[in-house]
Amino acid sequence: MLEAPRWSQRNWAKIHRGWIVPLVLIVAIIIANNLLLAGSSTSGQPLTYGGLFTGLLNFVLLIGLLAALVFLIIGIVGLIRAMLRSRGIYTKRERRELENYEYRLKYRADARLAAGRTLEQLLNGQVPQSFVDWSIPFDQDEAPFARAQFGYARFYGTDAQWTSGGLVMFGGPMLLAGSLLASAAVSGSNKNRALREAAEQWREGQLVDGIITNRRFIAIRADGEVLSFWYEAISQMNFSLDTHQIILRFHDTAPLFIEGDDTDVLAVYIVAGIHGDNGLRQHPELEPIRSAYGQIAA
């Protein structure tokens, strides 16, 4: 999910707490130190609990005072930075982060509008603008309509393998018994770790080059392997367009997780390929696309 830079999410209560709390601690430490000095210097005699303890306590108060001063400086700097940001004054790093965030927001908004236009064209019986890609063989009734990077993962388990940690042991009965117990513990740990790693979970997480056609989603993995996920083979689909995530389950292969700024148009083609015009008009998961495009078109 796209989030604004943390420093842009101003929490004034937290910002002011960053310098007020250290300041209060400094005042409290100074008062405590003065009281300690006043008590220990009466008639030039140390406190009854001993000069060593008094010196140690003074040292602890000094360390606390220095730490509070450091946090006070940090808090004041944070306050100044927050006030400058509220007036549109940023460091170079902050400006880059803010520009990147604003670019991503605009890109997602444009991608949603593009998905809305695609939806409208499909409903009107028009063919959206395709592009030429000579690297992938397409069927005669198939054309590529979008290409972008997506987050990619698959959900499956593997066979568990582990070693029992066999040992050749020599020694007395107590030594042999201890060695056997240690070997059993190591073997059990290896087994549990292997079972956890083999359990069904999301794997192969990576960025892929994705091609969206009217019949399938093509994922070109980092190792160059090309995988095709045909819409007609989908058994279940879960869209979360607010977070730009899609999970697809298939009749004959492991589930697929897709994430990216261009998932809206992919969702449109998936619904069109499975449910046709009726799905484009009524599928509830496409409502964000229909609403956004309808508001602009109006």
Side-chain angles (χ1 to χ4, degrees):
M1 185 175 180
L2 184 61
E3 295 184 355
R6 291 183 60 184
W7 51 262
S8 68
Q9 302 171 11
R10 286 187 288 272
N11 184 335
W12 288 108
K14 183 177 180 180
I15 291 171
H16 286 297
R17 189 166 62 244
W19 67 270
I20 291 176
V21 172
L23 182 60
V24 171
L25 286 176
I26 289 173
V27 173
I29 290 172
I30 292 175
I31 294 174
N33 188 62
N34 289 335
L35 292 174
L36 183 64
L37 290 175
S40 64
S41 61
T42 303
S43 301
Q45 298 297 323
L47 290 175
T48 56
Y49 46 74
L52 180 62
F53 181 75
T54 302
L56 180 61
L57 192 56
N58 277 325
F59 178 75
V60 171
L61 288 174
L62 177 61
I63 296 299
L65 179 63
L66 292 176
L69 282 171
V70 171
F71 283 109
L72 176 62
I73 294 172
I74 294 174
I76 292 175
V77 170
L79 175 63
I80 294 173
R81 288 299 315 137
M83 294 175 65
L84 290 174
R85 293 185 195 117
S86 68
R87 290 165 172 77
I89 302 174
Y90 305 100
T91 65
K92 290 183 178 180
R93 180 184 62 83
E94 290 170 348
R95 188 168 296 280
R96 285 196 302 269
E97 291 179 355
L98 187 61
E99 289 174 351
N100 180 64
Y101 172 70
E102 291 174 345
Y103 170 80
R104 290 284 303 279
L105 282 179
K106 184 178 184 304
Y107 184 92
R108 285 191 171 187
D110 292 343
R112 179 147 294 182
L113 293 179
R117 286 191 292 271
T118 298
L119 189 151
E120 184 180 54
Q121 288 175 319
L122 293 174
L123 285 175
N124 292 335
Q126 301 171 346
V127 179
Q129 179 66 42
S130 62
F131 63 92
V132 177
D133 189 314
W134 300 106
S135 63
I136 304 293
F138 299 100
D139 288 353
Q140 291 185 352
D141 59 346
E142 181 185 25
F145 294 101
R147 184 167 192 158
Q149 279 198 325
F150 294 89
Y152 161 99
R154 307 295 299 282
F155 189 82
Y156 59 88
T158 62
D159 294 332
Q161 297 180 354
W162 66 92
T163 57
S164 60
L167 299 174
V168 178
M169 296 169 288
F170 302 92
M174 295 300 294
L175 177 60
L176 290 176
S179 299
L180 287 172
L181 289 174
S183 177
V186 171
S187 178
S189 176
N190 291 340
K191 178 181 178 180
N192 291 335
R193 183 171 60 252
L195 290 175
R196 286 195 303 269
E197 293 175 353
E200 288 190 333
Q201 57 189 285
W202 289 107
R203 305 174 183 272
E204 304 178 23
Q206 60 186 283
L207 281 177
V208 299
D209 192 13
I211 299 177
I212 301 170
T213 80
N214 55 314
R215 296 194 57 202
R216 58 177 160 158
F217 172 72
I218 302 171
I220 305 175
R221 303 195 327 170
D223 59 6
E225 184 176 1
V226 179
L227 301 176
S228 293
F229 301 93
W230 297 89
Y231 306 149
E232 62 189 22
I234 295 174
S235 61
Q236 184 181 1
M237 53 188 177
N238 299 102
F239 299 150
S240 179
L241 297 186
D242 289 336
T243 57
H244 293 261
Q245 296 176 340
I246 294 176
I247 296 178
L248 302 175
R249 289 175 171 80
F250 300 87
H251 296 291
D252 56 357
T253 190
L256 169 68
F257 170 84
I258 307 169
E259 180 180 37
D261 295 340
D262 294 275
T263 49
D264 285 358
V265 69
L266 175 59
V268 168
Y269 279 108
I270 290 174
V271 171
I274 297 176
H275 300 292
D277 290 354
N278 187 54
L280 293 176
R281 291 190 180 93
Q282 300 183 20
H283 198 292
E285 299 295 345
L286 297 186
E287 185 58 33
I289 299 174
R290 290 190 294 263
S291 297
Y293 186 70
Q295 292 170 4
I296 298 298

